[in-house]
Amino acid sequence: MTVSKLFGLVLFCGLLSPSQEVLSGLSCSVSPGAMQKVLSDAILRNGLLQQHLQGLVLPNIMGEGGLLNSPTSITGLHLVEVRLPKLSVVLLPGIGVHLTIGAKLELSGNCLVGLLSELIDILVDVSISANIKCTNFESGTVQVVTEDCLCILGAIKINLLSGLLSLSVNEIVLKQLTATLPGLLCPVVDIVVNLVNIQLLGTLNAVIPVGTAGTIHYQLASLPYTSGVSLRLDLDGVVNLVGGSIIPHDSSPSTLPSRLDKLLVLGLSQSFLNAAMDLLIQIPPQTIPCTAEVFSGAGHLQEAILTLIPAGCPACRGTSALSIRLSLSGKPLLLLEENKAVVELSVMIQVFLKPLDGPILTLLLLKADLGLGVQVSITRGRLVLGLSLGSISLSLESSDVGIRNISNLKPHCSALLVETFMPLLNGALEIGMPLPNILGISMVKVDIQI
């Protein structure tokens, strides 16, 4: 198994709102009240439940009783208002979410008792509970299934315009509503839950621009997983350069850890992070003069290089200051270990001069293999990597003037890269990798675990 399938970057993101093998990844955690708030906003406060219950029409209620034991019929019974709706969420280990919706339903219709016809208003307490299970994962999307829906009726209050009401009418209404309401309400809940699933997946399945470099199309990497304390979402994405070409990466799903104090865990694989870093680090070759205005150690570097030039190099005489060309060699590689993140990066350093009467002369072509320390943070909803030079290994690729020994150049090249190239790297990464607005919750606090 490769390193990329063993280690991961795990971010536990605490959001403001009322031993397993872990693949490379990033994960964010939401406080328990946040999930309930998200679903409550989507189902209740946005009026989705009210909207789909609005057309609810109940079958006629027929029975014996009422005044003077006359036959009783209630017709045209329909929903007027959903009062005081409340929602609660409990995670079910390995199953999904247990959703409970409590509300008072105001119903209205026509009541005929004997020959007396008048309006009837019914206020009934209902509690609807169901298990919501994710299934059928395909191409980053999932379906939800509503199982074990249970509708329990509580207190019923009945008002007739005349105020004349017998106990038997209460009994008839209670019996009929108990028999009919669950069969009407549970299908509505199923419809609402599926619509909310589409809405919430839309916050994950999002195409987000990354500056002018390209886009990231986020999606789920596997089915959501629930434990008794957390909902875990493993994210992946398609990383596109401007123009449409895709930066490939391994999309294997991750096994994410749980956090007892958090409800939602989000994950991004190391392979995905590398693809996103490739998108951000698009640095063209840089040619700079070896002067103090550009690099404070320029004089020492130039002096050290000139002392390495063998005697008898006529082309090296009477030249101006040296020039330096810095360019990336290959792609940067993010490596994640326990409590540690490192970026490995290779830079070509070409030191050359342009004689007055001849072609460009490469005094040195060096390859610098860098080990860069990584500081990870979340800023304004973006994952930002800050790099610092940790180690450098120099190797001589070629020299037009016969230089062979470069052992004394390491501190000078290290200073050169710190002053000139590291700011370019961090400038490219400063824009950050935009994260999807998961479930519509803005990330404001982040705990990072690697």
Side-chain angles (χ1 to χ4, degrees):
M1 187 173 287
T2 63
V3 172
S4 66
K5 293 185 179 180
L6 286 176
F7 298 101
L9 173 65
V10 179
L11 301 185
F12 293 100
C13 308
L15 309 186
L16 287 181
S17 181
S19 156
Q20 278 183 312
E21 181 179 339
V22 180
L23 302 191
S24 308
L26 167 156
S27 77
C28 307
S29 305
V30 183
S31 58
M35 178 65 71
Q36 184 159 310
K37 183 179 185 302
V38 167
L39 293 177
S40 184
D41 286 346
I43 295 175
L44 303 182
R45 291 182 177 84
N46 292 342
L48 193 61
L49 181 65
Q50 173 88 19
Q51 174 188 342
H52 284 80
L53 285 176
Q54 202 63 55
L56 192 67
V57 176
L58 283 79
N60 296 337
I61 297 176
M62 310 295 292
E64 295 294 331
L67 294 175
L68 304 176
N69 292 319
S70 301
T72 300
S73 65
I74 300 175
T75 59
L77 199 59
H78 62 279
L79 180 76
V80 175
E81 184 182 2
V82 180
R83 297 185 185 178
L84 304 175
K86 294 182 180 179
L87 179 145
S88 63
V89 176
V90 177
L91 294 180
L92 301 176
I95 297 177
V97 174
H98 182 75
L99 186 70
T100 300
I101 299 173
K104 293 180 181 291
L105 302 184
E106 182 184 350
L107 308 172
S108 184
N110 297 311
C111 180
L112 178 64
V113 180
L115 298 178
L116 180 64
S117 177
E118 57 183 315
L119 294 178
I120 185 171
D121 291 321
I122 302 172
L123 191 63
V124 54
D125 290 346
V126 296
S127 176
I128 311 166
S129 62
N131 295 333
I132 312 301
K133 181 179 180 181
C134 292
T135 184
N136 296 337
F137 172 80
E138 183 179 357
S139 302
T141 63
V142 297
Q143 293 180 338
V144 293
V145 177
T146 304
E147 298 179 339
D148 303 322
C149 183
L150 179 65
C151 180
I152 300 175
L153 272 59
I156 294 181
K157 183 179 179 181
I158 303 175
N159 287 318
L160 285 173
L161 187 61
S162 65
L164 299 175
L165 183 66
S166 69
L167 182 61
S168 58
V169 173
N170 272 291
E171 294 173 350
I172 293 170
V173 170
L174 177 60
K175 181 180 178 180
Q176 293 296 325
L177 291 184
T178 301
T180 57
L181 267 181
L184 297 173
L185 296 180
C186 284
V188 171
V189 170
D190 183 58
I191 292 172
V192 168
V193 166
N194 275 277
L195 289 174
V196 169
N197 176 57
I198 294 171
Q199 292 175 8
L200 297 185
L201 278 179
T203 68
L204 300 173
N205 190 14
V207 178
I208 305 177
V210 184
T212 58
T215 61
I216 296 177
H217 182 184
Y218 282 98
Q219 59 189 24
L220 287 172
S222 60
L223 270 175
Y225 175 80
T226 55
S227 69
V229 294
S230 65
L231 170 63
R232 305 174 199 177
L233 303 177
D234 185 19
L235 301 185
D236 191 32
V238 179
V239 183
N240 288 86
L241 289 164
V242 168
S245 59
I246 295 175
I247 300 177
H249 69 278
D250 180 7
S251 294
S252 299
S254 305
T255 301
L256 301 175
S258 62
R259 276 281 293 267
L260 296 179
D261 59 334
K262 302 295 181 180
L263 182 64
L264 177 64
V265 177
L266 308 174
L268 289 171
S269 71
Q270 173 182 271
S271 179
F272 172 82
L273 294 173
N274 267 299
M277 188 171 62
D278 287 349
L279 181 63
L280 289 169
I281 299 180
Q282 301 289 323
I283 301 177
Q286 305 288 312
T287 299
I288 58 177
C290 190
T291 61
E293 288 79 8
V294 177
F295 164 47
S296 63
H300 296 293
L301 176 60
Q302 179 164 293
E303 181 181 347
I305 292 174
L306 292 177
T307 61
L308 299 177
I309 299 176
C313 177
C316 304
R317 298 172 184 171
T319 61
S320 59
L322 305 180
S323 295
I324 300 172
R325 188 174 188 267
L326 302 174
S327 60
L328 286 173
S329 176
K331 295 183 177 181
L333 178 63
L334 175 66
L335 297 176
L336 304 174
E337 304 174 10
E338 188 172 358
N339 298 319
K340 182 181 181 182
V342 175
V343 169
E344 292 184 352
L345 183 69
S346 295
V347 180
M348 302 303 296
I349 305 175
Q350 180 188 13
V351 183
F352 65 95
L353 52 82
K354 180 66 172 71
L356 298 177
D357 55 353
I360 290 177
L361 190 65
T362 298
L363 302 184
L364 283 173
L365 181 60
L366 305 172
K367 182 180 181 182
D369 295 318
L370 310 181
L372 307 177
V374 181
Q375 181 69 37
V376 186
S377 62
I378 298 287
T379 303
R380 297 184 299 276
R382 293 173 176 263
L383 175 69
V384 180
L385 304 181
L387 305 181
S388 59
L389 183 60
S391 63
I392 177 172
S393 175
L394 277 183
S395 59
L396 176 63
E397 296 291 303
S398 64
S399 171
D400 290 347
V401 296
I403 295 176
R404 295 289 181 266
N405 184 6
I406 60 170
S407 57
N408 66 331
L409 295 182
K410 183 175 179 178
H412 303 300
C413 289
S414 178
L416 168 71
L417 293 172
V418 168
E419 287 193 37
T420 62
F421 198 74
M422 292 305 298
L424 292 175
L425 276 177
N426 283 316
L429 293 171
E430 185 178 22
I431 186 176
M433 185 180 76
L435 298 174
N437 191 16
I438 304 297
L439 306 181
I441 304 175
S442 300
M443 285 180 271
V444 294
K445 291 185 180 180
V446 183
D447 300 325
I448 300 174
Q449 172 187 325
I450 301 175

